[in-house]
Amino acid sequence: MSALDFSTKIGSKRFSNPIFTASGCASSGQELSQFFPLTELGAVVTKSIMTKARAGRATPRMAETPSGMLNSIGLQGPGIDTFLENDIPWLIENNAKIVVSIAGETVEEYGVLARRLRAVSGISAVEVNISCPNVENRGQVFSCHPDTSTAVIESVRRNIGGELPIIAKLSPDVTDIVAIAKAVIDAGVDGLALINTLLGMVIDTNSMKPKLAGKTGGLSGPAIRPVAVRAIYQVHQAFPNIPIIGMGGVATGRDAFELVLAGASAVSIGTASFGNPTAALQVKNELADLLTQKGFKDFRDAIGFAHRSV
């Protein structure tokens, strides 16, 4: 039997395999690098970076939930200057494929960040996080409306030029995710990241108060995987030629395979890495074995396969 071609493409860039980190769950990769070489991953998706350093939200800002967790980190980070000075050189030195995630409080900030990244070598793509649910100002969730989603992507596209693929990260907390996807595709994205966390809340029945200092947070983990599968399936059905990086509750190769069958061209591992730092490698190996068992010789033949059997 011939070897499996495990490569995938997002825009003009090719990745050796479809397993990425999820933004925010491995910082810029240094924590995971002590457990395995980052070259084993298709790409490292960095924690969303902003124009200035950000302390994030007050503690406590994490809470366990059935089959998942809530986080209310609030985009804590060092800011673009420190990130470009320290994190990008380290990732390049470790031969990682780099997808830089960016976030902003205004449309203009996204444009500034895109302009800063334009001349940086060694980056494979830019993820535009317009869907973070655990910021203090819910007005920052640009992906909840087609007009604001479009404005951000158009700003990024104007400022970044035509070389780097742009990936829009969308929220599941909308009535029609296909409409939002259409808006950002029309604005010029090369791919989509589906899905960000869902807005949730936990109340401590002993103290009778919210467990998180910020009250609400982003729900992740296995509990949200059916939502991710639904969103990916719907968007792939509408736009079969747009690459999707799928994420949401993936902990095994079978979980990843489900997202691929729905239409994902790559799969990001997030919450699973907190309990098992080698989760991404486990998922990668299990997915490769499963694809081979199912008779696939090319990973790309499995993308959206569930649509062909309907």
Side-chain angles (χ1 to χ4, degrees), residues 105-129:
E105 295 186 5
T106 66
V107 171
E108 290 71 25
E109 282 189 20
Y110 283 96
V112 169
L113 289 162
R115 199 156 54 244
R116 293 292 306 275
L117 294 174
R118 182 172 184 164
V120 178
S121 61
I123 298 173
S124 294
V126 174
E127 177 192 87
V128 185
N129 183 1

Side-chain angles (χ1 to χ4, degrees), residues 5 125 213 281:
D5 182 346
L281 282 194

Side-chain angles (χ1 to χ4, degrees), residues 284-306:
K284 173 188 169 184
N285 294 332
E286 290 177 355
L287 177 59
D289 289 344
L290 195 50
L291 288 163
T292 302
Q293 291 170 22
K294 295 293 184 181
F296 291 102
K297 295 182 179 179
D298 190 322
F299 165 73
R300 287 161 290 185
D301 291 338
I303 298 170
F305 194 86

Side-chain angles (χ1 to χ4, degrees), residues 193-206:
L194 303 175
I195 55 176
N196 210 325
T197 54
L198 287 83
L199 189 65
M201 186 175 184
V202 174
I203 294 175
D204 188 323
T205 54
N206 292 318

Side-chain angles (χ1 to χ4, degrees), residues 48 75 101-104 110 127-135 138 140-144 149 152 168-174 177 180 193-199 218 247:
S48 295
L75 295 175
S101 182
I102 60 174
Y110 283 96
E127 177 192 87
V128 185
N129 183 1
I130 53 175
S131 56
C132 182
N134 55 52
V135 290
R138 283 288 290 166
Q140 286 180 230
V141 187
F142 294 91
S143 68
C144 285
S149 299
V152 171
K169 190 169 189 177
L170 303 186
S171 170
D173 291 332
V174 294
I177 198 166
I180 306 297
L194 303 175
I195 55 176
N196 210 325
T197 54
L198 287 83
L199 189 65
M247 64 200 75

Side-chain angles (χ1 to χ4, degrees), residues 27-286:
S27 190
S28 292
Q30 294 193 36
E31 290 83 355
L32 287 184
S33 68
Q34 61 188 302
F35 299 101
F36 58 85
L38 297 182
T39 51
E40 292 282 343
L41 297 171
V44 172
V45 183
T46 70
K47 182 171 174 58
S48 295
I49 199 72
M50 302 185 77
T51 54
K52 297 178 182 178
R54 185 182 175 99
R57 302 184 81 177
T59 57
R61 52 188 188 180
M62 297 183 76
E64 290 190 43
T65 68
S67 297
M69 60 174 278
L70 280 175
N71 90 82
S72 182
I73 306 301
L75 295 175
Q76 176 182 334
I80 188 67
D81 292 333
T82 300
F83 176 77
L84 292 179
E85 182 179 347
N86 298 327
D87 294 277
I88 291 295
W90 185 88
L91 285 165
I92 292 172
E93 184 181 331
N94 283 270
N95 299 309
K97 281 274 191 178
I98 308 165
V99 176
V100 176
S101 182
I102 60 174
E105 295 186 5
T106 66
V107 171
E108 290 71 25
E109 282 189 20
Y110 283 96
V112 169
L113 289 162
R115 199 156 54 244
R116 293 292 306 275
L117 294 174
R118 182 172 184 164
V120 178
S121 61
I123 298 173
S124 294
V126 174
E127 177 192 87
V128 185
N129 183 1
I130 53 175
S131 56
C132 182
N134 55 52
V135 290
E136 291 178 18
N137 175 15
R138 283 288 290 166
Q140 286 180 230
V141 187
F142 294 91
S143 68
C144 285
H145 196 282
D147 290 347
T148 49
S149 299
T150 296
V152 171
I153 298 304
E154 286 180 344
S155 177
V156 172
R157 174 54 72 196
R158 278 196 308 272
N159 284 281
I160 210 160
E163 293 299 316
L164 283 177
I166 297 173
I167 302 159
K169 190 169 189 177
L170 303 186
S171 170
D173 291 332
V174 294
T175 304
D176 186 355
I177 198 166
V178 173
I180 306 297
K182 182 180 188 306
V184 295
I185 291 168
D186 290 346
V189 300
D190 302 283
L192 302 168
L194 303 175
I195 55 176
N196 210 325
T197 54
L198 287 83
L199 189 65
M201 186 175 184
V202 174
I203 294 175
D204 188 323
T205 54
N206 292 318
S207 68
M208 298 181 287
K209 295 178 180 179
K211 281 191 175 182
L212 298 175
K215 296 184 176 62
T216 61
L219 176 65
S220 64
I224 75 168
R225 193 171 65 252
V227 179
V229 172
R230 180 270 301 172
I232 294 165
Y233 189 94
Q234 288 179 329
V235 173
H236 183 78
Q237 187 172 47
F239 309 105
N241 296 320
I242 292 293
I244 296 170
I245 302 175
M247 64 200 75
V250 175
T252 68
R254 193 166 294 277
D255 297 340
F257 190 43
E258 188 177 8
L259 269 60
V260 171
L261 294 174
S265 294
V267 176
S268 284
I269 313 303
T271 300
S273 295
F274 293 129
N276 174 16
T278 62
L281 282 194
Q282 175 189 322
V283 170
K284 173 188 169 184
N285 294 332
E286 290 177 355

